[in-house]
Amino acid sequence: MSKSENDRQAHWQSVYRDRPAGEVSWYQAEPTLSLSLINETDIPLDARILDVGGGASILVDRLLAHGFGNIQVLDIAARALAVSQQRLGDLADQVRWHTSDITQFQSDQQFELWHDRAVFHFLTRSAQRQAYCKVLEQSLRPGGHLIIGTFAVDGPKRCSGLDIVQYDASALLEVLGSQFVLQEQRRECHLTPAGKAQNFAWFRLRRLTD
Ligand SMILES: C[S@@+](CC[C@H](N)C(=O)[O-])C[C@H]1O[C@@H](n2cnc3c(N)ncnc32)[C@H](O)[C@@H]1O
């Protein structure tokens, strides 16, 4: 890992060391919008799903409860994944966990669905975004689904003390390239545990078949 990747990992590890998972600004009691968008994809229950930067989110719990049986969760912070693993208990064995920077991830499999809530927007340098897109292209099967939630253009400019990039559909499509077709976009006003409103933009896209 380069120094900046180490720094990024140290930052996120310390976040999950210092704050209970229910107090971080991105905490949500229910991943309602994610579940709704995933439902729209109509993927089968055995579809391979990757939650990128899943952190301590309960999305994985809800997907398991729904009957999805092929879920993988990735995060740069092992501590975040440990929170989810502890919460799930024995059910954690039904999930594959990866501690990795997504821009460095090498998957031995391809996914049907890639879900990213508030991770991609932290990639403020073009080289990082290119690395993310390369991993995405290697790991999402042609015809697969991509769901990304970022801060909207009228949303916050920083999160967790870090700068972020705000997106609308055209800005996102410009980064992702012509392999992706926008299926749907939605807006969400997320209320942080401290009661602050944060505008999110959500995008559901499909990767073209070759
Ligand atoms: C704002 S939080 C969102 C967490 C989760 N998606 C949710 O909705 O609750 C961002 C998450 O991405 C992780 N993260 C940040 N940069 C990452 C990277 N380059 N690769 C993998 N995970 C990353 C952090 O550790 C953190 O858990």
Side-chain angles (χ1 to χ4, degrees):
M1 264 197 197
S2 71
K3 178 157 186 317
S4 69
E5 286 151 17
N6 268 329
D7 290 349
R8 256 189 288 177
Q9 188 171 48
H11 169 82
W12 289 105
Q13 279 282 76
S14 67
V15 167
Y16 287 102
R17 182 193 61 217
D18 298 342
R19 309 271 301 274
E23 289 180 15
V24 292
S25 60
W26 52 93
Y27 170 77
Q28 49 178 191
E30 284 302 329
T32 311
L33 197 44
S34 297
L35 290 171
S36 167
L37 288 169
I38 292 169
N39 188 44
E40 293 296 322
T41 65
D42 221 11
I43 53 171
L45 292 176
D46 63 353
R48 194 174 289 132
I49 298 174
L50 180 65
D51 189 16
V52 172
S57 165
I58 61 158
L59 179 63
V60 59
D61 309 40
R62 296 298 181 254
L63 293 176
L64 283 170
H66 188 80
F68 285 109
N70 208 340
I71 307 165
Q72 304 191 23
V73 182
L74 175 148
D75 203 280
I76 199 168
R79 277 201 181 96
L81 299 180
V83 173
S84 289
Q85 288 160 353
Q86 249 189 347
R87 189 182 61 235
L88 283 165
D90 289 347
L91 283 178
D93 296 341
Q94 296 181 23
V95 178
R96 195 164 161 200
W97 306 90
H98 305 275
T99 303
S100 171
D101 184 324
I102 188 58
T103 63
Q104 307 290 313
F105 182 53
Q106 289 189 336
S107 176
D108 49 6
Q109 299 167 318
Q110 285 204 313
F111 296 91
E112 177 77 29
L113 171 71
W114 174 296
H115 173 271
D116 170 335
R117 174 175 181 260
V119 186
F120 178 71
H121 69 190
F122 286 108
L123 305 178
T124 52
R125 288 188 292 118
S126 139
Q128 295 171 327
R129 292 189 289 272
Q130 276 171 24
Y132 181 104
C133 289
K134 197 168 160 204
V135 176
L136 176 63
E137 278 166 33
Q138 282 163 356
S139 314
L140 185 69
R141 78 156 182 82
H145 302 270
L146 169 62
I147 293 174
I148 297 197
T150 68
F151 282 164
V153 291
D154 57 356
K157 293 189 164 60
R158 285 169 73 80
C159 178
S160 186
L162 302 174
D163 288 339
I164 62 91
V165 181
Q166 301 172 324
Y167 285 96
D168 57 17
S170 63
L172 182 67
L173 284 165
E174 198 176 315
V175 180
L176 293 176
S178 54
Q179 275 198 64
F180 287 89
V181 177
L182 183 65
Q183 309 277 294
E184 181 181 356
Q185 52 179 318
R186 297 202 204 168
R187 282 176 59 84
E188 179 190 33
C189 183
H190 167 66
L191 263 196
T192 71
K196 258 193 171 171
Q198 298 184 327
N199 286 337
F200 269 76
W202 282 93
F203 309 96
R204 181 169 66 82
L205 305 107
R206 190 138 199 200
R207 182 175 177 185
L208 293 174
T209 47
D210 288 332

